[in-house]
Amino acid sequence: MAQPFMKKDDDRDDEVEYSPFLGIEKGAVLQEARVFNDPQLDARRCSQVITKLLYLLNQGETFTKVEATEVFFAVTKLFQSKDMGLRRMVYLMIKEISPSADEVIIVTSSLMKDMNSKIDMYRANAIRVLCRITDGTLLAQIERYLKQAIVDKNPVVASAALISGIHLLHTNPEIVKRWSNEVQEAVQSRAALVQFHALALLHQIRQNDRLAVSKLVTSLTRGTVRSPIAQCLLIRYTSQVIRESGNNTQTGDRPFYDFLESCLRHKSEMVIFESARAITELNGVTSRELAPAITVLQLFLSSSKPVLRFAAVRTLNKVAMTHPMSVTNCNIDMESLISDQNRSIATLAITTLLKTGNESSVDRLMKQITNFMSDIADEFKIVVVEAIRSLCLKFPLKYRSLMNFLSNILREEGGFDYKKAIVDSIVILIRDIPDAKETGLLHLCEFIEDCEFTYLSTQILHFLGIEGPKTSDPSKYIRFIYNRVHLENATVRASAVSTLARFGAAVDEIKPRIFVLLRRCLFDSDDEVRDRATLYLNTLGDDGSVVETDKDVNDFLFGPFDIPLVNLESSLKNYEPSEEAFNINSVPKEVKSQPLAEKKAPGKKPTGLGAPPSAPPSTTDAYERMLSSIPEFANFGKLFKSSPPVELTEAETEYAVNVVKHIFDRHVVFQYNCTNTIPEQLLEDVIVIVDSSDAEEFSEVFSKPLRSLPYDSPGQTFVAFEKPEGVPTVGKFSNTLKFFVKEVDPTTGETEDDGVEDEYQLEDLEVVSADYVLKLGVSNFRNAWESMGPDCERVDEYGLGPRESLAEAVNTVTNLLGLQPCEGTEVVPPNSRSHTCLLSGVFIGNVKVLVRLSFGLDGPKDVAMKLTVRSEDETVSDAIHEIVASG
């Protein structure tokens, strides 16, 4: 029996309720299931046992084949009971057990009897169960009954048949599509749920035919839909048709716009909101078209229902991303929501006001937010902090009040994510608003005095080491940094030592003072702190001046660290002590992929921390060894890059061909990987004829045919081109596969002597600018950027035209340049109006390149981009700009 709820103790504050299923075991429940076989059925007890079985199944308990079969046959005996409650439990149990094809036959007759019963509850549930457990063969036999059920006068039966049709459409679409007439009739039903389910099924039947969907929407928007929930569904389908048409002009899809606008005057609140939301989300919607939707959403802001207030303010929050001026009329109503009891509503109101407010309203908003912040959870505070950061970037002259606000809340109680969001915001403001640098750095210094999070303290100290030396008075930060050496844990102390060394290396006036402080750190109790202090003292020298002869050491300590840590760890583990010192330059900078699992070879030691597996050779290394083994390619020099394979044939064609582009300084080699998929053929003298008439700067210098290509045995043929040295030359190449075909006897494997010459047209191939750029990430982009310096920096702005979203623009430019996104900046937050993406890599000629892309929406959909490039060669910086300008 189910465990009863424990009685609550009125004298205790902590009230604990126990589940009625606490402690039940599968074995015991299966024993109880024998009650199904009793001559005199106890309907209540049987229902309790089925409830326990359903609970076990939904908790992930698995039944063996024998157990499931026994339960199934026992449950089928319960059809003899006339108890309606027990019959419903039987239906649920049969659906959950999912009987096999052999077992379905046993219960089919009972279910079909119920499907034709005079009791509507039996009919509806029997339809659901039959459609759940039946296969295509049985479905054809009961199709006539299902069609009748769709147009049944009882809405419960009709809805059950329609819902079953929605599920069956995934497994037996051809059968369900034959029900279109009946479903069309059900759409005219007066029952709300029937009309809703019928519209959903009719749309799914026609969803792959855009013209049919458009006709459906056109016919239904004339006022034949009475159900509010069906009307909401129709609004969504209408929005889909408008979006897919790609034409928002009055002469194009204006009737659909009129329908959406007419729904704003519907008597149902859900329909009004759905139509308002649909209008706000239309592509290229104008301020005039937004006006009626904004008006009804403004009325919802003062509704007594929290759900309507929340829905309205959330929608207005999204509209403010793209049309802030259209939302300004709602600001007074949203200010009253700041004190709303529902904190979600209050947070959305605050963030919307921050997006729509003007410069004169900033101070007033800050006062309201100050009182509001103490009443909300950290997750809402993070949203507010991000909105304040955006506001500060929008009105940089207000940085003092906004920075002071961030500093004040930084000293209040809060979790790690909340504090990190504030610190990140201050760092971004320091970077993007030069006047805010010194104020922001002092706020960060004050925060680390009481910071309880080691990670944030080390990140702030690292940032101080980069930005602090560039301020007008770097010495004022030394006290804050050195205090960390005495008052913090070992990790923070070690980070503080590194920051002091950065100041000493960058600012001549304070070098002697830094030198004294580092000497004191030699007596620290932690090995890491002492080691760092010793290392930096040896680097700086006794008099505090940087040792000029150890430039490599200084670059290693204070410059960008662009070596993947996993590679460094592997190299250090494999290093054997000898007279030759460890060479940091020998560590590979490419991250090599590791297999997910390796089979343990017999007779070998198992891999572990003490015996790391040797890394497999990279793909580029394998290609380089293969190409160097071909005498004609041996003098091409070092291989710069090999592209991923590019497919030149469709899947499952007679011949499968893909190509790998190998980029050298003065040459490009196309490696065509060919596979013969016809067992009865042998291909000989296989070669790809390449037409380079659309690639004038390329000249073919060599081709290497493939002598024989048996069935299902991949082979390679090569074509090499010469190009201008060190230049990212682009071009388009046409490809034709030529070969001799010889017939093969599939039984004996013998090949005929005579062959027939044949050819096969392949897809075109392009060499693009991104082929001359090697992706190479950096562990700290800011550090690498500052180290690169502005000497070879090139900056320009570009208009990218209309785009679906900022994310699409970021993805397009990133793919065009072929560089490696850094620090996760390739991901654009939802509904952002601006975004910065950081890229790094190596240009042909082994020239390092760093790129900062700043995107912003210029109008509803137009995207503007600021491209800043730094490299070791100004011609490379110009080349990156040329790639974007021509792309």
Side-chain angles (χ1 to χ4, degrees):
M1 295 293 291
Q3 298 292 329
F5 281 99
M6 289 190 66
K7 185 178 180 181
K8 298 179 183 178
D9 190 347
D10 295 335
D11 297 332
R12 294 177 59 187
D13 294 331
D14 297 332
E15 297 178 348
V16 180
E17 294 182 354
Y18 291 97
S19 165
F21 305 106
L22 182 68
I24 66 173
E25 296 179 354
K26 182 178 73 171
V29 177
L30 291 175
Q31 289 290 331
E32 288 185 55
R34 294 179 178 178
V35 71
F36 300 158
N37 300 316
D38 290 349
Q40 298 295 325
L41 289 175
D42 185 340
R44 183 172 180 274
R45 189 180 177 194
C46 289
S47 295
Q48 289 179 342
V49 175
I50 292 178
T51 302
K52 292 181 183 180
L53 289 168
L54 291 171
Y55 173 80
L56 290 173
L57 287 169
N58 281 279
Q59 291 298 309
E61 188 73 55
T62 57
F63 288 5
T64 65
K65 177 66 177 174
V66 174
E67 291 170 343
T69 301
E70 289 179 354
V71 169
F72 171 75
F73 280 108
V75 167
T76 57
K77 295 180 181 179
L78 299 180
F79 274 104
Q80 59 186 309
S81 173
K82 301 299 182 182
D83 187 271
M84 294 186 66
L86 177 59
R87 181 67 61 88
R88 297 181 71 177
M89 298 298 290
V90 170
Y91 293 136
L92 285 174
M93 194 65 208
I94 293 174
K95 281 202 301 183
E96 289 298 322
I97 291 180
S98 298
S100 64
D102 296 336
E103 296 167 347
V104 167
I105 299 173
I106 306 298
V107 77
T108 299
S109 58
S110 297
L111 290 173
M112 292 188 69
K113 180 181 177 182
D114 282 356
M115 194 169 64
N116 294 292
S117 170
K118 294 181 180 180
I119 302 174
D120 291 332
M121 190 276 293
Y122 286 3
R123 294 168 60 201
N125 283 283
I127 289 171
R128 288 175 182 264
V129 177
L130 265 175
C131 292
R132 174 72 176 268
I133 67 175
T134 190
D135 57 9
T137 305
L138 181 60
L139 184 62
Q141 299 176 20
I142 64 172
E143 183 182 4
R144 178 169 60 89
Y145 299 105
L146 294 176
K147 283 184 176 183
Q148 293 173 355
I150 290 174
V151 294
D152 195 274
K153 293 180 180 180
N154 188 291
V156 177
V157 176
S159 281
L162 289 166
I163 293 171
S164 298
I166 293 173
H167 293 304
L168 289 171
L169 194 62
H170 301 291
T171 55
N172 297 277
E174 297 304 321
I175 293 179
V176 178
K177 287 178 180 178
R178 297 201 292 260
W179 306 350
S180 293
N181 293 334
E182 288 77 10
V183 178
Q184 184 76 52
E185 184 179 341
V187 171
Q188 310 302 323
S189 171
R190 292 183 176 273
L193 275 176
V194 173
Q195 194 172 48
F196 170 72
H197 291 138
L199 179 56
L201 178 55
L202 191 60
H203 178 266
Q204 286 200 23
I205 291 173
R206 302 182 179 181
Q207 63 182 349
N208 295 323
D209 186 345
R210 289 176 57 179
L211 180 60
V213 172
S214 180
K215 288 181 179 179
L216 172 66
V217 169
T218 302
S219 63
L220 293 178
T221 52
R222 295 171 184 163
T224 58
V225 178
R226 302 181 186 87
S227 164
I229 51 177
Q231 187 84 342
C232 290
L233 203 57
L234 179 59
I235 290 171
R236 296 188 180 185
Y237 297 155
T238 305
S239 301
Q240 178 187 346
V241 171
I242 296 172
R243 186 164 54 251
E244 291 179 350
S245 69
N247 183 9
N248 294 328
T249 62
Q250 293 186 6
T251 58
D253 293 325
R254 196 59 205 171
F256 292 140
Y257 279 102
D258 289 339
F259 167 71
L260 294 179
E261 193 172 345
S262 67
C263 290
L264 294 173
R265 297 182 289 275
H266 199 277
K267 58 185 178 182
S268 171
E269 290 172 337
M270 76 169 78
V271 175
I272 296 172
F273 170 72
E274 190 67 37
S275 58
R277 187 172 68 90
I279 290 174
T280 62
E281 292 179 353
L282 291 174
N283 293 333
V285 64
T286 64
S287 298
R288 184 183 64 81
E289 291 165 339
L290 274 176
I294 299 295
T295 301
V296 298
L297 291 173
Q298 186 176 5
L299 293 174
F300 283 173
L301 291 176
S302 54
S303 171
S304 59
K305 301 177 181 178
V307 66
L308 284 180
R309 298 198 303 273
F310 174 78
V313 74
R314 185 173 66 169
T315 305
L316 290 171
N317 185 280
K318 292 180 180 178
V319 176
M321 299 278 190
T322 53
H323 296 81
M325 296 306 297
S326 299
V327 185
T328 52
N329 292 335
C330 306
N331 282 4
I332 295 176
D333 299 275
M334 282 189 286
E335 285 190 23
S336 64
L337 295 180
I338 295 178
S339 56
D340 196 284
Q341 292 182 349
N342 188 308
R343 295 291 85 184
S344 298
I345 296 174
T347 304
L348 286 167
I350 281 287
T351 53
T352 308
L353 287 167
L354 290 173
K355 294 168 188 172
T356 60
N358 52 38
E359 197 164 1
S360 60
S361 65
V362 170
D363 294 329
R364 178 166 51 86
L365 279 175
M366 287 300 102
K367 289 180 182 178
Q368 290 179 290
I369 295 174
T370 301
N371 300 326
F372 163 80
M373 291 293 281
S374 59
D375 299 331
I376 60 176
D378 280 4
E379 57 183 310
F380 297 126
K381 291 180 181 178
I382 293 173
V383 176
V384 175
V385 167
E386 291 172 348
I388 291 173
R389 179 179 70 204
S390 300
L391 184 69
C392 192
L393 294 174
K394 183 179 178 182
F395 303 119
L397 295 178
K398 288 292 183 180
Y399 78 87
R400 288 188 182 278
S401 59
L402 295 172
M403 191 74 83
N404 287 334
F405 174 81
L406 292 174
S407 175
N408 290 334
I409 61 175
L410 189 59
R411 289 193 291 269
E412 296 175 357
E413 293 293 326
F416 171 77
D417 291 332
Y418 172 47
K419 293 298 180 73
K420 184 177 183 297
I422 301 173
V423 170
D424 290 344
S425 297
I426 293 176
V427 167
I428 290 173
L429 297 181
I430 291 172
R431 185 191 67 196
D432 293 348
I433 305 176
D435 293 340
K437 179 177 289 187
E438 298 203 11
T439 304
L441 288 176
L442 282 174
H443 287 321
L444 293 177
C445 287
E446 293 169 357
F447 170 62
I448 59 173
E449 294 279 303
D450 302 312
C451 180
E452 58 187 286
F453 302 108
T454 297
Y455 174 82
L456 288 182
S457 296
T458 56
Q459 292 300 302
I460 291 172
L461 287 169
H462 179 76
F463 182 69
L464 273 174
I466 297 171
E467 297 293 337
K470 301 174 187 176
T471 58
S472 58
D473 185 13
S475 61
K476 62 183 176 184
Y477 306 107
I478 301 301
R479 174 176 62 85
F480 295 100
I481 299 169
Y482 187 66
N483 283 346
R484 301 303 97 215
V485 177
H486 291 291
L487 304 175
E488 291 286 357
N489 58 51
T491 303
V492 178
R493 296 204 305 272
S495 182
V497 169
S498 298
T499 304
L500 287 173
R502 286 180 177 273
F503 274 79
V507 185
D508 292 336
E509 293 80 5
I510 61 175
K511 284 177 184 174
R513 182 181 174 191
I514 296 295
F515 188 75
V516 172
L517 297 178
L518 289 176
R519 275 194 168 278
R520 294 178 184 174
C521 297
L522 294 173
F523 302 98
D524 193 273
S525 59
D526 184 72
D527 291 342
E528 175 75 11
V529 177
R530 293 197 304 273
D531 289 347
R532 289 197 187 195
T534 303
L535 185 63
Y536 295 137
L537 283 169
N538 291 337
T539 303
L540 292 172
D542 291 341
D543 60 351
S545 61
V546 177
V547 180
E548 299 293 342
T549 56
D550 288 337
K551 184 178 182 302
D552 290 340
V553 177
N554 285 289
D555 288 341
F556 171 63
L557 294 177
F558 307 115
F561 190 72
D562 54 1
I563 298 173
L565 294 178
V566 64
N567 292 1
L568 179 60
E569 179 185 13
S570 178
S571 298
L572 287 171
K573 286 180 177 179
N574 294 333
Y575 170 71
E576 296 181 0
S578 63
E579 295 180 359
E580 183 179 352
F582 178 78
N583 183 6
I584 190 69
N585 295 322
S586 66
V587 181
K589 295 182 179 179
E590 292 184 4
V591 179
K592 298 177 179 179
S593 60
Q594 296 286 345
L596 293 177
E598 294 182 357
K599 294 182 179 179
K600 190 191 299 182
K604 293 185 178 180
K605 293 182 179 180
T607 58
L609 292 177
S614 57
S618 68
T619 306
T620 304
D621 293 338
Y623 281 139
E624 189 166 19
R625 285 197 300 272
M626 179 188 65
L627 293 171
S628 62
S629 66
I630 301 174
E632 290 80 4
F633 303 151
N635 61 348
F636 283 4
K638 183 171 177 59
L639 177 64
F640 173 70
K641 178 184 178 181
S642 297
S643 74
V646 179
E647 296 296 334
L648 299 182
T649 56
E650 298 290 338
E652 299 182 2
T653 54
E654 300 96 319
Y655 313 109
V657 181
N658 63 54
V659 62
V660 177
K661 295 174 280 187
H662 301 295
I663 308 298
F664 294 86
D665 198 33
R666 294 183 56 195
H667 297 85
V668 174
V669 176
F670 297 147
Q671 173 188 328
Y672 296 93
N673 302 309
C674 309
T675 304
N676 173 17
T677 62
I678 304 176
E680 296 82 9
Q681 289 184 357
L682 169 68
L683 307 186
E684 292 186 347
D685 295 329
V686 181
I687 186 69
V688 176
I689 305 300
V690 183
D691 180 3
S692 59
S693 56
D694 292 333
E696 298 178 353
E697 296 184 79
F698 292 84
S699 58
E700 185 174 337
V701 294
F702 175 73
S703 62
K704 179 178 173 59
L706 177 62
R707 295 305 174 196
S708 177
L709 186 63
Y711 164 68
D712 202 23
S713 180
Q716 294 84 33
T717 176
F718 300 85
V719 181
F721 285 85
E722 190 174 21
K723 68 174 190 66
E725 183 175 358
V727 178
T729 314
V730 299
K732 187 175 183 179
F733 302 83
S734 300
N735 305 280
T736 305
L737 184 68
K738 285 200 171 185
F739 47 84
F740 280 89
V741 182
K742 291 185 177 181
E743 296 296 328
V744 178
D745 188 335
T747 56
T748 63
E750 295 181 356
T751 305
E752 294 183 1
D753 295 333
D754 298 329
V756 179
E757 187 175 10
D758 199 358
E759 64 180 42
Y760 189 83
Q761 188 63 44
L762 305 176
E763 298 287 341
D764 291 345
L765 169 68
E766 286 189 87
V767 174
V768 296
S769 303
D771 290 326
Y772 297 97
V773 180
L774 184 64
K775 290 185 178 182
L776 182 64
V778 293
S779 57
N780 189 314
F781 186 89
R782 180 187 299 277
N783 204 353
W785 183 265
E786 298 295 338
S787 177
M788 189 80 73
D791 296 340
C792 298
E793 180 177 286
R794 295 291 183 271
V795 184
D796 205 348
E797 295 182 355
Y798 301 87
L800 303 183
R803 298 283 174 173
E804 284 296 319
S805 63
L806 272 185
E808 189 224 332
V810 171
N811 188 54
T812 300
V813 177
T814 302
N815 291 337
L816 176 66
L817 293 176
L819 293 165
Q820 175 68 43
C822 300
E823 301 174 4
T825 54
E826 73 275 16
V827 180
V828 181
N831 300 319
S832 294
R833 289 190 58 82
S834 61
H835 184 70
T836 299
C837 183
L838 310 176
L839 307 174
S840 68
V842 176
F843 198 77
I844 188 169
N846 289 320
V847 181
K848 292 181 181 178
V849 181
L850 299 174
V851 171
R852 177 174 282 163
L853 300 169
S854 299
F855 296 88
L857 287 174
D858 184 15
K861 290 294 180 181
D862 289 339
V863 178
M865 180 185 74
K866 180 181 179 182
L867 170 61
T868 307
V869 183
R870 288 187 179 183
S871 72
E872 299 170 335
D873 187 339
E874 59 185 15
T875 59
V876 172
S877 298
D878 292 333
I880 296 295
H881 276 278
E882 289 175 8
I883 292 173
V884 174
S886 60

